[in-house]
Amino acid sequence: MREIKTDQIVQTVRSLCIEANIHLRQDVIDRIQSCRDQETSTIGRQVLGQILENADVARTSAMPICQDTGATVVLLKVGQDVHITGGSLSEAIHEGVRQGYEEGFLRKSIVQDPFRRTNTGDNTPAFIHTEIVPGDQLKITIIPKGGGSENMSEARMLTPSQGLEGVKQFVINRVRISGGNPCPPVIVGVGIGGTLEVCTFLAKKAIIRPIGQRHPDSFYAELETSLLNEINQLGIGPQAFGGRCTALEVFVEVRPCHIASLPVAVNMQCHAARHGEAVL
Amino acid sequence: MSIHKIQTPLKDSELQKLKIGDSVLLSGTIYTARDSAHQRLIQMLKAKETLPFDLKDQVLFYAGPAPAPPGKPVGSIGPTTACRMDSYTLPLLDIGLKGMIGKGARNQTVRMAMQKHSAVYFAAIGGIAALLARCIKSSKIIAFEDLGPEAIRQLEVVNLPVIVVNDVLGGDLYEEGVFKFKKN
């Protein structure tokens, strides 16, 4: 049994929140650069250039990349040989978010109730998903998830007969009707299989895969490539002003599913694709 | 596609010159308002109360900035999705609103109303909020402070870069852009 103190968790979450919101990841920067080089639309190239310039300004002035510093989604992988001491694990996560959002001058974007809508004032609660895994480590991933792209996400229960074509149509149509709302170029996270909540969570986990990393199963790697190609022929382009680069990536995650079902979910991620992780 | 320098309040003579896809560098006073602020403005109009500011010939920026770090007037700032404001927009156009800044397409009803009132919808680029913050010279909360990031702020801006999406002739940059670049 290995002990991890909640103080350490608070500090880690605090730093991850600030870091993820200020520094655009290098893999995202590299892909935006290559998309700019290939973009045929003048205004599209300008937009991609400004996104890169913004990443520089954000980093050097310690300002958030985007004013929407998101709902804080937290993925925990808790080793079964870990013992958390010093208080509640989830309270430590919330406290880390509270401190990070206050000290990092990040926007507080959470309302207490979906209808009464009073801002909680500190971006809590975080939305925490916990997985128990073998080992004696604690892995914390924080995903500041913007509202504009989250609003363009959707889950649907298709039937097995709709098959691969049905899934492809659903995904492509989701991107098409989203237009400029999710701040293209986007990363498209696709969850297929499982149950309703499983495919939705798979789509969320898909958006944090490193750019350029294909699915290990060649069938799904091919699906990712063909979806990306088709999406980039829609003409939407950077910020939907028209152009080639509508998506930076498409990532597919799959699970087994019921004989009656073909669940599919799309989680849209804007070009300000942010997450940070740490292992304690 | 031209570049225009425009000062608020907006003038019809200048708006007539704008075409979809044109770049505009906007300077002067603008006001932030997003979902909750819109809801309250509409409630006030229905109750025949005086609004906290005069919207005539003014520009609304659909935005809720990040908190200002020490020494800066405002934190990162950028557009939110405009279609969420569609259902509130017609009464505001009726009392003289002339320009809106957001991201994403407006619905047909708003587009027709904009044309009728010779109003313009601009897009600011989403996700370049540290860059856009440099154009904000001052920020003051003038209404609904309890809404936090959704409070109405009066901003003084200099050369805020926006792009004309809907011009006074009824054009739409998003439709034309996709049409030009779509394959098949």
PDB file of all heavy atoms in Angstrom, chain A residues 41 50 54 64-65 67 105 107-108 181 183 233-234 239-244 271, chain B residues 64 67 70 76 78 81 103-104 125-131 149 173-174 177 181 183:
ATOM      1  N   SER A  41      -7.463  28.237 -48.865  1.00  0.00           N
ATOM      2  CA  SER A  41      -8.236  29.459 -48.673  1.00  0.00           C
ATOM      3  C   SER A  41      -7.360  30.525 -48.006  1.00  0.00           C
ATOM      4  O   SER A  41      -6.701  30.263 -46.995  1.00  0.00           O
ATOM      5  CB  SER A  41      -9.461  29.135 -47.803  1.00  0.00           C
ATOM      6  OG  SER A  41      -9.742  30.188 -46.918  1.00  0.00           O
ATOM      7  N   GLN A  50      -3.195  33.184 -37.173  1.00  0.00           N
ATOM      8  CA  GLN A  50      -3.530  33.906 -35.942  1.00  0.00           C
ATOM      9  C   GLN A  50      -3.649  32.958 -34.741  1.00  0.00           C
ATOM     10  O   GLN A  50      -3.323  33.330 -33.628  1.00  0.00           O
ATOM     11  CB  GLN A  50      -4.828  34.690 -36.143  1.00  0.00           C
ATOM     12  CG  GLN A  50      -4.588  35.922 -36.984  1.00  0.00           C
ATOM     13  CD  GLN A  50      -5.860  36.737 -37.180  1.00  0.00           C
ATOM     14  OE1 GLN A  50      -6.816  36.273 -37.782  1.00  0.00           O
ATOM     15  NE2 GLN A  50      -5.862  37.936 -36.652  1.00  0.00           N
ATOM     16  N   ASN A  54      -1.523  33.454 -31.500  1.00  0.00           N
ATOM     17  CA  ASN A  54      -2.193  33.493 -30.189  1.00  0.00           C
ATOM     18  C   ASN A  54      -1.528  32.536 -29.196  1.00  0.00           C
ATOM     19  O   ASN A  54      -1.380  32.857 -28.018  1.00  0.00           O
ATOM     20  CB  ASN A  54      -3.670  33.131 -30.358  1.00  0.00           C
ATOM     21  CG  ASN A  54      -4.430  33.171 -29.046  1.00  0.00           C
ATOM     22  OD1 ASN A  54      -4.642  34.230 -28.465  1.00  0.00           O
ATOM     23  ND2 ASN A  54      -4.817  31.993 -28.549  1.00  0.00           N
ATOM     24  N   PRO A  64      -4.798  32.767 -20.712  1.00  0.00           N
ATOM     25  CA  PRO A  64      -5.413  31.583 -21.306  1.00  0.00           C
ATOM     26  C   PRO A  64      -5.513  31.695 -22.834  1.00  0.00           C
ATOM     27  O   PRO A  64      -5.754  32.785 -23.359  1.00  0.00           O
ATOM     28  CB  PRO A  64      -6.809  31.543 -20.689  1.00  0.00           C
ATOM     29  CG  PRO A  64      -6.841  32.539 -19.607  1.00  0.00           C
ATOM     30  CD  PRO A  64      -5.669  33.451 -19.759  1.00  0.00           C
ATOM     31  N   ILE A  65      -5.324  30.576 -23.525  1.00  0.00           N
ATOM     32  CA  ILE A  65      -5.426  30.507 -24.984  1.00  0.00           C
ATOM     33  C   ILE A  65      -6.799  31.001 -25.419  1.00  0.00           C
ATOM     34  O   ILE A  65      -6.953  31.734 -26.379  1.00  0.00           O
ATOM     35  CB  ILE A  65      -5.292  29.041 -25.459  1.00  0.00           C
ATOM     36  CG1 ILE A  65      -3.966  28.433 -25.001  1.00  0.00           C
ATOM     37  CG2 ILE A  65      -5.438  28.929 -26.976  1.00  0.00           C
ATOM     38  CD1 ILE A  65      -3.975  26.925 -25.017  1.00  0.00           C
ATOM     39  N   GLN A  67     -10.771  32.377 -23.843  1.00  0.00           N
ATOM     40  CA  GLN A  67     -11.451  32.866 -22.636  1.00  0.00           C
ATOM     41  C   GLN A  67     -12.318  31.792 -22.005  1.00  0.00           C
ATOM     42  O   GLN A  67     -12.549  31.803 -20.803  1.00  0.00           O
ATOM     43  CB  GLN A  67     -12.286  34.113 -22.968  1.00  0.00           C
ATOM     44  CG  GLN A  67     -13.631  33.866 -23.649  1.00  0.00           C
ATOM     45  CD  GLN A  67     -13.486  33.425 -25.100  1.00  0.00           C
ATOM     46  OE1 GLN A  67     -12.446  33.609 -25.704  1.00  0.00           O
ATOM     47  NE2 GLN A  67     -14.526  32.835 -25.651  1.00  0.00           N
ATOM     48  N   PHE A 105      -6.163  33.177 -13.099  1.00  0.00           N
ATOM     49  CA  PHE A 105      -7.060  34.130 -13.763  1.00  0.00           C
ATOM     50  C   PHE A 105      -7.837  33.444 -14.897  1.00  0.00           C
ATOM     51  O   PHE A 105      -7.926  33.946 -16.010  1.00  0.00           O
ATOM     52  CB  PHE A 105      -6.284  35.360 -14.269  1.00  0.00           C
ATOM     53  CG  PHE A 105      -5.621  36.106 -13.152  1.00  0.00           C
ATOM     54  CD1 PHE A 105      -4.282  35.892 -12.843  1.00  0.00           C
ATOM     55  CD2 PHE A 105      -6.340  36.989 -12.368  1.00  0.00           C
ATOM     56  CE1 PHE A 105      -3.680  36.548 -11.785  1.00  0.00           C
ATOM     57  CE2 PHE A 105      -5.741  37.662 -11.314  1.00  0.00           C
ATOM     58  CZ  PHE A 105      -4.410  37.432 -11.017  1.00  0.00           C
ATOM     59  N   ARG A 107     -11.405  31.719 -16.389  1.00  0.00           N
ATOM     60  CA  ARG A 107     -12.822  32.080 -16.263  1.00  0.00           C
ATOM     61  C   ARG A 107     -13.603  31.001 -15.509  1.00  0.00           C
ATOM     62  O   ARG A 107     -13.367  29.815 -15.692  1.00  0.00           O
ATOM     63  CB  ARG A 107     -13.445  32.289 -17.647  1.00  0.00           C
ATOM     64  CG  ARG A 107     -14.760  33.051 -17.569  1.00  0.00           C
ATOM     65  CD  ARG A 107     -15.354  33.258 -18.932  1.00  0.00           C
ATOM     66  NE  ARG A 107     -15.966  32.042 -19.434  1.00  0.00           N
ATOM     67  CZ  ARG A 107     -16.507  31.928 -20.647  1.00  0.00           C
ATOM     68  NH1 ARG A 107     -16.474  32.940 -21.472  1.00  0.00           N
ATOM     69  NH2 ARG A 107     -17.055  30.797 -21.028  1.00  0.00           N
ATOM     70  N   LYS A 108     -14.519  31.453 -14.683  1.00  0.00           N
ATOM     71  CA  LYS A 108     -15.368  30.528 -13.927  1.00  0.00           C
ATOM     72  C   LYS A 108     -16.681  30.369 -14.704  1.00  0.00           C
ATOM     73  O   LYS A 108     -17.480  31.290 -14.773  1.00  0.00           O
ATOM     74  CB  LYS A 108     -15.636  31.060 -12.513  1.00  0.00           C
ATOM     75  CG  LYS A 108     -14.406  30.996 -11.595  1.00  0.00           C
ATOM     76  CD  LYS A 108     -13.456  32.132 -11.863  1.00  0.00           C
ATOM     77  CE  LYS A 108     -12.209  32.070 -10.982  1.00  0.00           C
ATOM     78  NZ  LYS A 108     -11.250  33.113 -11.368  1.00  0.00           N
ATOM     79  N   ASN A 181     -19.760  26.855 -35.182  1.00  0.00           N
ATOM     80  CA  ASN A 181     -20.029  26.894 -33.738  1.00  0.00           C
ATOM     81  C   ASN A 181     -18.941  26.269 -32.854  1.00  0.00           C
ATOM     82  O   ASN A 181     -18.647  26.804 -31.795  1.00  0.00           O
ATOM     83  CB  ASN A 181     -21.378  26.237 -33.426  1.00  0.00           C
ATOM     84  CG  ASN A 181     -22.539  27.006 -34.017  1.00  0.00           C
ATOM     85  OD1 ASN A 181     -22.357  28.095 -34.556  1.00  0.00           O
ATOM     86  ND2 ASN A 181     -23.737  26.467 -33.932  1.00  0.00           N
ATOM     87  N   CYS A 183     -15.775  26.143 -33.304  1.00  0.00           N
ATOM     88  CA  CYS A 183     -14.454  26.703 -33.585  1.00  0.00           C
ATOM     89  C   CYS A 183     -13.546  25.754 -34.363  1.00  0.00           C
ATOM     90  O   CYS A 183     -12.512  25.305 -33.847  1.00  0.00           O
ATOM     91  CB  CYS A 183     -13.756  27.154 -32.292  1.00  0.00           C
ATOM     92  SG  CYS A 183     -14.343  28.737 -31.736  1.00  0.00           S
ATOM     93  N   GLN A 233     -13.344  17.564 -46.868  1.00  0.00           N
ATOM     94  CA  GLN A 233     -13.885  17.937 -48.175  1.00  0.00           C
ATOM     95  C   GLN A 233     -15.217  18.681 -48.039  1.00  0.00           C
ATOM     96  O   GLN A 233     -15.836  19.036 -49.035  1.00  0.00           O
ATOM     97  CB  GLN A 233     -14.086  16.684 -49.029  1.00  0.00           C
ATOM     98  CG  GLN A 233     -12.749  16.079 -49.406  1.00  0.00           C
ATOM     99  CD  GLN A 233     -12.857  14.899 -50.341  1.00  0.00           C
ATOM    100  OE1 GLN A 233     -13.938  14.551 -50.788  1.00  0.00           O
ATOM    101  NE2 GLN A 233     -11.733  14.279 -50.611  1.00  0.00           N
ATOM    102  N   LEU A 234     -15.644  18.907 -46.792  1.00  0.00           N
ATOM    103  CA  LEU A 234     -16.936  19.573 -46.588  1.00  0.00           C
ATOM    104  C   LEU A 234     -16.885  21.050 -46.983  1.00  0.00           C
ATOM    105  O   LEU A 234     -17.913  21.670 -47.238  1.00  0.00           O
ATOM    106  CB  LEU A 234     -17.383  19.461 -45.121  1.00  0.00           C
ATOM    107  CG  LEU A 234     -17.808  18.066 -44.629  1.00  0.00           C
ATOM    108  CD1 LEU A 234     -18.032  18.084 -43.112  1.00  0.00           C
ATOM    109  CD2 LEU A 234     -19.080  17.596 -45.330  1.00  0.00           C
ATOM    110  N   GLN A 239     -12.645  28.250 -38.867  1.00  0.00           N
ATOM    111  CA  GLN A 239     -13.720  29.153 -38.406  1.00  0.00           C
ATOM    112  C   GLN A 239     -14.926  29.168 -39.346  1.00  0.00           C
ATOM    113  O   GLN A 239     -15.742  30.092 -39.295  1.00  0.00           O
ATOM    114  CB  GLN A 239     -13.189  30.581 -38.209  1.00  0.00           C
ATOM    115  CG  GLN A 239     -12.160  30.686 -37.099  1.00  0.00           C
ATOM    116  CD  GLN A 239     -12.750  30.427 -35.718  1.00  0.00           C
ATOM    117  OE1 GLN A 239     -13.725  31.066 -35.319  1.00  0.00           O
ATOM    118  NE2 GLN A 239     -12.186  29.476 -34.985  1.00  0.00           N
ATOM    119  N   ALA A 240     -15.010  28.172 -40.231  1.00  0.00           N
ATOM    120  CA  ALA A 240     -16.152  28.029 -41.153  1.00  0.00           C
ATOM    121  C   ALA A 240     -16.232  29.148 -42.195  1.00  0.00           C
ATOM    122  O   ALA A 240     -17.279  29.374 -42.785  1.00  0.00           O
ATOM    123  CB  ALA A 240     -17.485  27.909 -40.395  1.00  0.00           C
ATOM    124  N   PHE A 241     -15.093  29.838 -42.434  1.00  0.00           N
ATOM    125  CA  PHE A 241     -15.081  30.878 -43.456  1.00  0.00           C
ATOM    126  C   PHE A 241     -14.874  30.281 -44.855  1.00  0.00           C
ATOM    127  O   PHE A 241     -14.726  31.013 -45.834  1.00  0.00           O
ATOM    128  CB  PHE A 241     -13.973  31.912 -43.181  1.00  0.00           C
ATOM    129  CG  PHE A 241     -14.134  32.655 -41.882  1.00  0.00           C
ATOM    130  CD1 PHE A 241     -13.020  33.057 -41.156  1.00  0.00           C
ATOM    131  CD2 PHE A 241     -15.396  32.981 -41.396  1.00  0.00           C
ATOM    132  CE1 PHE A 241     -13.150  33.762 -39.965  1.00  0.00           C
ATOM    133  CE2 PHE A 241     -15.543  33.679 -40.208  1.00  0.00           C
ATOM    134  CZ  PHE A 241     -14.420  34.067 -39.487  1.00  0.00           C
ATOM    135  N   GLY A 242     -14.825  28.955 -44.944  1.00  0.00           N
ATOM    136  CA  GLY A 242     -14.567  28.270 -46.211  1.00  0.00           C
ATOM    137  C   GLY A 242     -13.119  27.861 -46.285  1.00  0.00           C
ATOM    138  O   GLY A 242     -12.220  28.675 -46.046  1.00  0.00           O
ATOM    139  N   GLY A 243     -12.877  26.590 -46.609  1.00  0.00           N
ATOM    140  CA  GLY A 243     -11.494  26.126 -46.718  1.00  0.00           C
ATOM    141  C   GLY A 243     -11.394  24.628 -46.586  1.00  0.00           C
ATOM    142  O   GLY A 243     -12.411  23.933 -46.448  1.00  0.00           O
ATOM    143  N   ARG A 244     -10.155  24.153 -46.627  1.00  0.00           N
ATOM    144  CA  ARG A 244      -9.897  22.722 -46.606  1.00  0.00           C
ATOM    145  C   ARG A 244      -9.827  22.150 -45.184  1.00  0.00           C
ATOM    146  O   ARG A 244     -10.248  21.030 -44.933  1.00  0.00           O
ATOM    147  CB  ARG A 244      -8.544  22.415 -47.286  1.00  0.00           C
ATOM    148  CG  ARG A 244      -8.491  22.744 -48.762  1.00  0.00           C
ATOM    149  CD  ARG A 244      -8.670  21.472 -49.572  1.00  0.00           C
ATOM    150  NE  ARG A 244      -9.999  20.920 -49.391  1.00  0.00           N
ATOM    151  CZ  ARG A 244     -11.068  21.264 -50.105  1.00  0.00           C
ATOM    152  NH1 ARG A 244     -10.968  22.151 -51.056  1.00  0.00           N
ATOM    153  NH2 ARG A 244     -12.245  20.710 -49.875  1.00  0.00           N
ATOM    154  N   HIS A 271     -10.178  23.803 -31.786  1.00  0.00           N
ATOM    155  CA  HIS A 271      -8.726  23.755 -32.049  1.00  0.00           C
ATOM    156  C   HIS A 271      -7.903  24.057 -30.804  1.00  0.00           C
ATOM    157  O   HIS A 271      -6.737  23.662 -30.733  1.00  0.00           O
ATOM    158  CB  HIS A 271      -8.359  24.711 -33.194  1.00  0.00           C
ATOM    159  CG  HIS A 271      -8.694  26.145 -32.917  1.00  0.00           C
ATOM    160  ND1 HIS A 271      -7.920  26.935 -32.115  1.00  0.00           N
ATOM    161  CD2 HIS A 271      -9.736  26.921 -33.309  1.00  0.00           C
ATOM    162  CE1 HIS A 271      -8.459  28.138 -32.039  1.00  0.00           C
ATOM    163  NE2 HIS A 271      -9.574  28.157 -32.756  1.00  0.00           N
TER     164      HIS A 271
ATOM    165  N   GLY B  64     -17.695  36.623 -22.823  1.00  0.00           N
ATOM    166  CA  GLY B  64     -17.495  36.691 -21.376  1.00  0.00           C
ATOM    167  C   GLY B  64     -16.008  36.505 -21.128  1.00  0.00           C
ATOM    168  O   GLY B  64     -15.487  35.399 -21.282  1.00  0.00           O
ATOM    169  N   PRO B  67     -10.911  36.632 -16.144  1.00  0.00           N
ATOM    170  CA  PRO B  67     -10.590  37.736 -15.221  1.00  0.00           C
ATOM    171  C   PRO B  67      -9.300  38.452 -15.630  1.00  0.00           C
ATOM    172  O   PRO B  67      -8.400  37.831 -16.184  1.00  0.00           O
ATOM    173  CB  PRO B  67     -10.380  37.019 -13.878  1.00  0.00           C
ATOM    174  CG  PRO B  67     -11.036  35.693 -14.014  1.00  0.00           C
ATOM    175  CD  PRO B  67     -10.987  35.333 -15.463  1.00  0.00           C
ATOM    176  N   PRO B  70      -3.246  41.172 -13.031  1.00  0.00           N
ATOM    177  CA  PRO B  70      -2.786  42.483 -12.555  1.00  0.00           C
ATOM    178  C   PRO B  70      -2.179  43.306 -13.691  1.00  0.00           C
ATOM    179  O   PRO B  70      -1.432  42.780 -14.509  1.00  0.00           O
ATOM    180  CB  PRO B  70      -1.701  42.130 -11.525  1.00  0.00           C
ATOM    181  CG  PRO B  70      -1.983  40.715 -11.136  1.00  0.00           C
ATOM    182  CD  PRO B  70      -2.669  40.056 -12.281  1.00  0.00           C
ATOM    183  N   SER B  76      -8.169  37.163 -21.168  1.00  0.00           N
ATOM    184  CA  SER B  76      -8.426  36.688 -22.534  1.00  0.00           C
ATOM    185  C   SER B  76      -9.895  36.877 -22.869  1.00  0.00           C
ATOM    186  O   SER B  76     -10.768  36.692 -22.021  1.00  0.00           O
ATOM    187  CB  SER B  76      -8.042  35.206 -22.634  1.00  0.00           C
ATOM    188  OG  SER B  76      -6.641  35.065 -22.495  1.00  0.00           O
ATOM    189  N   GLY B  78     -12.918  36.480 -26.206  1.00  0.00           N
ATOM    190  CA  GLY B  78     -13.243  36.049 -27.564  1.00  0.00           C
ATOM    191  C   GLY B  78     -14.719  35.744 -27.678  1.00  0.00           C
ATOM    192  O   GLY B  78     -15.452  35.791 -26.687  1.00  0.00           O
ATOM    193  N   THR B  81     -20.729  31.346 -29.192  1.00  0.00           N
ATOM    194  CA  THR B  81     -21.612  30.949 -30.294  1.00  0.00           C
ATOM    195  C   THR B  81     -22.840  31.852 -30.365  1.00  0.00           C
ATOM    196  O   THR B  81     -23.608  31.955 -29.399  1.00  0.00           O
ATOM    197  CB  THR B  81     -22.039  29.486 -30.118  1.00  0.00           C
ATOM    198  OG1 THR B  81     -20.864  28.692 -29.954  1.00  0.00           O
ATOM    199  CG2 THR B  81     -22.822  28.993 -31.322  1.00  0.00           C
ATOM    200  N   LYS B 103     -19.549  34.122 -33.049  1.00  0.00           N
ATOM    201  CA  LYS B 103     -19.040  33.104 -33.987  1.00  0.00           C
ATOM    202  C   LYS B 103     -20.178  32.158 -34.334  1.00  0.00           C
ATOM    203  O   LYS B 103     -21.070  31.928 -33.521  1.00  0.00           O
ATOM    204  CB  LYS B 103     -17.855  32.336 -33.382  1.00  0.00           C
ATOM    205  CG  LYS B 103     -18.232  31.477 -32.186  1.00  0.00           C
ATOM    206  CD  LYS B 103     -17.063  30.626 -31.717  1.00  0.00           C
ATOM    207  CE  LYS B 103     -17.292  30.037 -30.341  1.00  0.00           C
ATOM    208  NZ  LYS B 103     -17.835  28.688 -30.347  1.00  0.00           N
ATOM    209  N   GLY B 104     -20.135  31.631 -35.536  1.00  0.00           N
ATOM    210  CA  GLY B 104     -21.159  30.690 -35.985  1.00  0.00           C
ATOM    211  C   GLY B 104     -22.358  31.408 -36.585  1.00  0.00           C
ATOM    212  O   GLY B 104     -22.577  32.604 -36.365  1.00  0.00           O
ATOM    213  N   ILE B 125     -12.574  35.744 -34.419  1.00  0.00           N
ATOM    214  CA  ILE B 125     -12.035  34.381 -34.468  1.00  0.00           C
ATOM    215  C   ILE B 125     -12.041  33.784 -33.070  1.00  0.00           C
ATOM    216  O   ILE B 125     -11.560  34.395 -32.121  1.00  0.00           O
ATOM    217  CB  ILE B 125     -10.626  34.398 -35.096  1.00  0.00           C
ATOM    218  CG1 ILE B 125     -10.735  34.854 -36.552  1.00  0.00           C
ATOM    219  CG2 ILE B 125      -9.969  33.021 -35.000  1.00  0.00           C
ATOM    220  CD1 ILE B 125      -9.421  35.111 -37.221  1.00  0.00           C
ATOM    221  N   GLY B 126     -12.641  32.607 -32.964  1.00  0.00           N
ATOM    222  CA  GLY B 126     -12.701  31.921 -31.679  1.00  0.00           C
ATOM    223  C   GLY B 126     -11.384  31.235 -31.376  1.00  0.00           C
ATOM    224  O   GLY B 126     -10.762  30.655 -32.264  1.00  0.00           O
ATOM    225  N   GLY B 127     -10.957  31.318 -30.113  1.00  0.00           N
ATOM    226  CA  GLY B 127      -9.735  30.617 -29.709  1.00  0.00           C
ATOM    227  C   GLY B 127      -8.462  31.395 -29.951  1.00  0.00           C
ATOM    228  O   GLY B 127      -7.377  30.820 -29.985  1.00  0.00           O
ATOM    229  N   ILE B 128      -8.586  32.728 -30.135  1.00  0.00           N
ATOM    230  CA  ILE B 128      -7.366  33.566 -30.181  1.00  0.00           C
ATOM    231  C   ILE B 128      -7.508  34.682 -29.139  1.00  0.00           C
ATOM    232  O   ILE B 128      -7.165  35.840 -29.367  1.00  0.00           O
ATOM    233  CB  ILE B 128      -7.079  34.143 -31.590  1.00  0.00           C
ATOM    234  CG1 ILE B 128      -8.221  35.041 -32.087  1.00  0.00           C
ATOM    235  CG2 ILE B 128      -6.829  33.035 -32.596  1.00  0.00           C
ATOM    236  CD1 ILE B 128      -7.772  35.987 -33.215  1.00  0.00           C
ATOM    237  N   ALA B 129      -7.977  34.277 -27.972  1.00  0.00           N
ATOM    238  CA  ALA B 129      -8.447  35.234 -26.970  1.00  0.00           C
ATOM    239  C   ALA B 129      -7.334  36.036 -26.299  1.00  0.00           C
ATOM    240  O   ALA B 129      -7.565  37.154 -25.843  1.00  0.00           O
ATOM    241  CB  ALA B 129      -9.270  34.502 -25.921  1.00  0.00           C
ATOM    242  N   ALA B 130      -6.125  35.485 -26.274  1.00  0.00           N
ATOM    243  CA  ALA B 130      -5.010  36.245 -25.691  1.00  0.00           C
ATOM    244  C   ALA B 130      -4.628  37.376 -26.646  1.00  0.00           C
ATOM    245  O   ALA B 130      -4.300  38.488 -26.226  1.00  0.00           O
ATOM    246  CB  ALA B 130      -3.823  35.330 -25.427  1.00  0.00           C
ATOM    247  N   LEU B 131      -4.720  37.082 -27.934  1.00  0.00           N
ATOM    248  CA  LEU B 131      -4.413  38.067 -28.976  1.00  0.00           C
ATOM    249  C   LEU B 131      -5.467  39.184 -28.983  1.00  0.00           C
ATOM    250  O   LEU B 131      -5.133  40.367 -29.035  1.00  0.00           O
ATOM    251  CB  LEU B 131      -4.421  37.323 -30.315  1.00  0.00           C
ATOM    252  CG  LEU B 131      -3.571  37.787 -31.473  1.00  0.00           C
ATOM    253  CD1 LEU B 131      -2.124  37.992 -31.066  1.00  0.00           C
ATOM    254  CD2 LEU B 131      -3.647  36.747 -32.605  1.00  0.00           C
ATOM    255  N   PRO B 149     -18.861  36.249 -15.177  1.00  0.00           N
ATOM    256  CA  PRO B 149     -18.359  36.418 -16.552  1.00  0.00           C
ATOM    257  C   PRO B 149     -19.453  36.852 -17.530  1.00  0.00           C
ATOM    258  O   PRO B 149     -19.154  37.336 -18.610  1.00  0.00           O
ATOM    259  CB  PRO B 149     -17.835  35.028 -16.925  1.00  0.00           C
ATOM    260  CG  PRO B 149     -18.414  34.084 -15.938  1.00  0.00           C
ATOM    261  CD  PRO B 149     -18.702  34.869 -14.699  1.00  0.00           C
ATOM    262  N   LEU B 173     -21.359  34.886 -45.228  1.00  0.00           N
ATOM    263  CA  LEU B 173     -20.015  34.368 -45.511  1.00  0.00           C
ATOM    264  C   LEU B 173     -19.931  32.853 -45.317  1.00  0.00           C
ATOM    265  O   LEU B 173     -19.254  32.166 -46.083  1.00  0.00           O
ATOM    266  CB  LEU B 173     -18.984  35.069 -44.611  1.00  0.00           C
ATOM    267  CG  LEU B 173     -17.548  34.539 -44.693  1.00  0.00           C
ATOM    268  CD1 LEU B 173     -16.946  34.758 -46.077  1.00  0.00           C
ATOM    269  CD2 LEU B 173     -16.660  35.204 -43.641  1.00  0.00           C
ATOM    270  N   TYR B 174     -20.604  32.327 -44.303  1.00  0.00           N
ATOM    271  CA  TYR B 174     -20.495  30.882 -44.036  1.00  0.00           C
ATOM    272  C   TYR B 174     -21.054  30.071 -45.211  1.00  0.00           C
ATOM    273  O   TYR B 174     -20.469  29.076 -45.617  1.00  0.00           O
ATOM    274  CB  TYR B 174     -21.241  30.509 -42.751  1.00  0.00           C
ATOM    275  CG  TYR B 174     -20.642  31.096 -41.497  1.00  0.00           C
ATOM    276  CD1 TYR B 174     -21.432  31.804 -40.592  1.00  0.00           C
ATOM    277  CD2 TYR B 174     -19.292  30.931 -41.189  1.00  0.00           C
ATOM    278  CE1 TYR B 174     -20.901  32.341 -39.435  1.00  0.00           C
ATOM    279  CE2 TYR B 174     -18.750  31.476 -40.032  1.00  0.00           C
ATOM    280  CZ  TYR B 174     -19.560  32.178 -39.152  1.00  0.00           C
ATOM    281  OH  TYR B 174     -19.027  32.707 -38.006  1.00  0.00           O
ATOM    282  N   GLY B 177     -18.664  30.571 -48.230  1.00  0.00           N
ATOM    283  CA  GLY B 177     -17.368  29.920 -48.003  1.00  0.00           C
ATOM    284  C   GLY B 177     -17.443  28.427 -48.248  1.00  0.00           C
ATOM    285  O   GLY B 177     -16.617  27.856 -48.968  1.00  0.00           O
ATOM    286  N   PHE B 181     -15.623  25.969 -51.334  1.00  0.00           N
ATOM    287  CA  PHE B 181     -14.567  25.008 -51.035  1.00  0.00           C
ATOM    288  C   PHE B 181     -15.034  23.566 -50.926  1.00  0.00           C
ATOM    289  O   PHE B 181     -14.232  22.659 -50.747  1.00  0.00           O
ATOM    290  CB  PHE B 181     -13.829  25.420 -49.756  1.00  0.00           C
ATOM    291  CG  PHE B 181     -12.927  26.590 -49.986  1.00  0.00           C
ATOM    292  CD1 PHE B 181     -13.381  27.888 -49.798  1.00  0.00           C
ATOM    293  CD2 PHE B 181     -11.626  26.411 -50.421  1.00  0.00           C
ATOM    294  CE1 PHE B 181     -12.567  28.981 -50.030  1.00  0.00           C
ATOM    295  CE2 PHE B 181     -10.798  27.479 -50.659  1.00  0.00           C
ATOM    296  CZ  PHE B 181     -11.265  28.782 -50.460  1.00  0.00           C
ATOM    297  N   LYS B 183     -16.120  19.897 -51.863  1.00  0.00           N
ATOM    298  CA  LYS B 183     -15.848  18.988 -52.986  1.00  0.00           C
ATOM    299  C   LYS B 183     -17.043  18.069 -53.163  1.00  0.00           C
ATOM    300  O   LYS B 183     -17.631  17.634 -52.190  1.00  0.00           O
ATOM    301  CB  LYS B 183     -14.583  18.189 -52.721  1.00  0.00           C
ATOM    302  CG  LYS B 183     -13.342  19.057 -52.852  1.00  0.00           C
ATOM    303  CD  LYS B 183     -12.075  18.234 -52.933  1.00  0.00           C
ATOM    304  CE  LYS B 183     -10.887  19.151 -53.197  1.00  0.00           C
ATOM    305  NZ  LYS B 183      -9.618  18.488 -52.950  1.00  0.00           N
TER     306      LYS B 183
END
